[in-house]
Amino acid sequence: MPAPDDDAYARTAYEAPQGAVETALAGIWAELLGVERVGRHDNFFELGGHSLLAVQLMSRLRRLSLGVEVRTLFARPVLCDLAASLGSHDEVAVPANLIGEQSTAITPQMLTLIDLTQQEIDRIVATVPGGVANIQDIYGLSPLQDGILFHHLLATKGDPYLLVSQMAFAERGLLERYLGAVQQVVDRHDILRTAFVWEGPVGALSWRGSAGGGPARHSAYGLCLGGSVEPGAGGVAQGGPGGARGRAG
């Protein structure tokens, strides 16, 4: 079937976009939706938009420092309404991380995302293999992380967020390549090197990765991977919800 032309989509009476934000937004919509022009009263979804294009739209807006949550688009899909939301939206400024790879100590002034005393910091550092050299950052839990910790503490055995699987490898070389690939993923993503510390002030700390040396210690949550990935006995990568439920401090 031929691709639909502009007349195939639901339209309101055309009125040109007003102001820099509406004009920029209309240009992005036209490119993503493949339409010739977009009016200020046009609806993103009536023009052929869908959830995948919505994600692309959010990415394009962030490049222009016009970030907004996807749910705002679903609540205000008309261009002029969404543009008004963009005009009043402020991106969250994340302060620079002051804990460097050469840091030999962590002080309260170096923690830009949480307020801790020196004693509290020292107690956290003492739980980490490699100490300060293996800590990338310490910060307060996000709402989603709060929920993860809540369910972890509520469980009487294991962890509801921990998925378990076992894989057998025909030869050692294949196992080593698999572990190398997993380690690359761990090194790339901070969240896979994050531990929860909840005795006293609740917070999270991010490991530096393979440079930190030594395997991870499960100080709180089962996804805390640190220095290296070690295979289980018999060439099987192992794990399970019945394992130790570590506690920092």
Side-chain angles (χ1 to χ4, degrees):
M1 297 180 63
D5 55 26
D6 282 2
D7 293 335
Y9 298 107
R11 292 272 189 171
T12 59
Y14 177 78
E15 182 178 346
Q18 299 178 5
V21 175
E22 287 190 14
T23 301
L25 187 58
I28 296 174
W29 282 23
E31 183 176 343
L32 290 178
L33 301 173
V35 297
E36 183 176 349
R37 68 179 186 178
V38 176
R40 67 189 309 263
H41 297 298
D42 283 335
N43 184 300
F44 179 80
F45 299 104
E46 291 177 357
L47 292 181
H50 49 72
S51 58
L52 294 179
L53 287 176
V55 173
Q56 295 183 42
L57 174 61
M58 297 301 105
S59 176
R60 295 284 296 273
L61 290 174
R62 281 195 294 270
R63 297 177 196 172
L64 301 176
S65 298
L66 293 174
V68 69
E69 295 182 356
V70 175
R71 62 184 179 183
T72 302
L73 173 62
F74 284 90
R76 310 186 72 175
V78 175
L79 186 133
C80 61
D81 294 335
L82 181 61
S85 299
L86 296 175
S88 61
H89 179 83
D90 293 324
E91 284 288 322
V92 176
V94 179
N97 184 0
L98 302 181
I99 304 175
E101 293 186 8
Q102 305 303 319
S103 297
T104 59
I106 298 176
T107 64
Q109 294 74 25
M110 298 170 69
L111 303 181
T112 57
L113 299 174
I114 192 172
D115 293 325
L116 295 176
T117 66
Q118 188 63 57
Q119 183 179 7
E120 291 167 340
I121 295 171
D122 293 341
R123 181 166 56 82
I124 292 172
V125 172
T127 70
V128 180
V132 173
N134 203 22
I135 295 177
Q136 180 174 307
D137 200 2
I138 302 174
Y139 55 91
L141 298 185
S142 68
L144 180 59
Q145 289 173 322
D146 271 329
I148 291 174
L149 178 60
F150 171 80
H151 288 289
H152 172 80
L153 297 176
L154 189 65
T156 57
K157 181 180 179 181
D159 190 300
Y161 285 93
L162 180 61
L163 302 179
V164 185
S165 63
Q166 289 189 342
M167 291 172 285
F169 298 87
E171 58 184 40
R172 181 73 186 189
L174 183 60
L175 171 62
E176 295 293 348
R177 290 195 296 274
Y178 172 79
L179 294 178
V182 171
Q183 189 63 59
Q184 289 184 31
V185 175
V186 172
D187 290 343
R188 181 173 181 178
H189 296 283
D190 291 348
I191 194 61
L192 297 182
R193 305 188 311 278
T194 298
F196 288 10
V197 179
W198 71 85
E199 285 192 348
V202 175
L205 62 90
S206 179
W207 305 66
R208 288 209 173 277
S210 56
R217 192 173 90 182
H218 291 240
S219 60
Y221 184 56
L223 287 180
C224 305
L225 299 178
S228 62
V229 179
E230 296 291 341
V236 179
Q238 298 183 356
R245 292 166 54 85
R247 183 176 294 273

